[in-house]
């Protein structure tokens, strides 16, 4: 099996979707840890209740980004994960850490990258008047929310949408897309190409509409 570490900061619904997919489909995936930078992340309780190794590395206890990153690196190195899946992990990882795990850190971001990197993506989508919104699963590079795209999911923007309704309608699409990426990873089908794009062997498409 592949070893994956899942990093969260809060609710953990994407982590839950990943873990449920592994269990329901008996995927060859060993979730070696669910790690949160916040002790109060609700996802930790779910993870523990479902028999997963769940742990906290509180960024507030470190004096600097570099110190936190060094501790995170040590924690992850000890677990030797093949992949580190960011699932609502709200800390920016420094370039040294990203380079150390190059090609092994994957994130889900709630927009159709490369538009709307950063925070408040649903607000940004509404204020720009885009008619399609979505999520992106991508490899993490030192530039925030800019790495090679593995898969995307899209939803239409509806009349009357608010940031909350958009986020709520996108969430199940996030879960589906991230679960599909994990299946591909477990099957060894995801490849990072030299030109900075991604190829997934045998995947006819890597786009979904919800
Ligand atoms: C998800 O919508 C995820 O795409 C987003 O946070 C939410 C976490 O929900 N991630 C980011 O904004 C990353 N910058 P969850 O904890 O229920 O998975």
């Amino acid at each position: 099996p592949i070893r994956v570490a899942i990093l969260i900061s809060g609710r953990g619904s994407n982590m839950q979707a990943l873990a449920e997919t592994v269990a329901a489909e008996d995927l060859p995936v060993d979730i070696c840890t669910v790690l949160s930078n916040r002790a109060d992340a609700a996802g930790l309780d779910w993870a523990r209740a479902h028999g997963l190794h769940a742990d906290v590395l509180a960024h507030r206890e470190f004096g600097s980004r570099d110190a936190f990153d060094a501790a995170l690196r040590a924690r992850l190195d000890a677990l030797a994960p093949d992949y580190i899946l960011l699932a609502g992990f709200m800390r920016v990882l420094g370039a040294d850490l990203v380079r150390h795990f190059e090609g092994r850190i994957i994130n889900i971001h709630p927009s159709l990258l490369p538009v709307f990197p950063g925070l408040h993506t649903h607000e940004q989508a509404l204020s720009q008047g885009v008619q399609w919104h979505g999520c992106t699963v991508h490899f993490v590079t030192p530039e925030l929310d800019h790495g090679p795209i593995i898969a995307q999911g899209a939803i239409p923007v509806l009349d009357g949408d608010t940031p909350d309704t958009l986020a709520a309608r996108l969430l199940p699409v996030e879960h589906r897309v991230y679960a599909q990426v994990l299946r591909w990873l477990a099957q060894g089908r995801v490849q990072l190409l030299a030109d900075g794009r991604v190829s997934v062997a045998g995947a006819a498409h890597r786009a979904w509409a919800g």
Side-chain angles (χ1 to χ4, degrees):
I2 60 165
R3 290 172 65 77
V4 305
I6 304 179
L7 271 50
I8 66 171
S9 297
R11 179 178 53 186
S13 74
N14 276 286
M15 173 274 299
Q16 186 175 330
L18 294 169
E20 284 176 343
T21 300
V22 169
E25 301 175 19
D26 204 15
L27 292 183
V29 173
D30 176 11
I31 299 173
C32 53
T33 193
V34 173
L35 188 58
S36 173
N37 63 304
R38 301 178 57 107
D40 62 356
L44 287 172
D45 297 330
W46 188 92
R48 289 192 187 105
H50 290 77
L52 296 174
H53 175 272
D55 217 345
V56 177
L57 189 67
H59 67 274
R60 292 217 176 100
E61 288 170 15
F62 295 87
S64 67
R65 158 99 48 84
D66 284 351
F68 173 70
D69 277 9
L72 181 57
R73 170 176 162 166
R75 191 75 73 90
L76 290 171
D77 273 339
L79 294 165
D82 296 295
Y83 293 101
I84 297 156
L85 305 182
L86 310 185
F89 184 69
M90 303 307 281
R91 299 300 297 172
V92 174
L93 299 175
D96 286 346
L97 182 71
V98 171
R99 281 195 212 98
H100 178 72
F101 293 111
E102 190 175 4
R104 294 159 61 196
I105 311 179
I106 292 171
N107 181 44
I108 186 160
H109 180 78
S111 80
L112 292 172
L113 293 175
V115 292
F116 313 145
L119 297 175
H120 311 300
T121 57
H122 313 301
E123 285 87 341
Q124 291 191 64
L126 290 172
S127 69
Q128 292 301 318
V130 297
Q131 299 300 300
W132 288 97
H133 187 44
C135 63
T136 303
V137 176
H138 65 97
F139 282 104
V140 171
T141 56
E143 192 181 358
L144 183 67
D145 298 333
H146 271 83
I149 292 171
I150 305 172
Q152 290 186 311
I155 58 169
V157 177
L158 302 181
D159 193 26
D161 260 332
T162 65
D164 285 349
T165 64
L166 260 189
R169 196 140 30 77
L170 182 58
L171 197 61
V173 178
E174 294 192 37
H175 299 164
R176 267 169 46 212
V177 173
Y178 220 170
Q180 182 58 53
V181 169
L182 183 56
R183 287 186 197 100
W184 288 334
L185 292 171
Q187 295 159 353
R189 289 164 60 184
V190 181
Q191 201 189 340
L192 195 45
L193 302 176
D195 68 4
R197 292 184 307 153
V198 169
S199 123
V200 178
H205 62 87
R206 295 186 268 137
W208 284 268

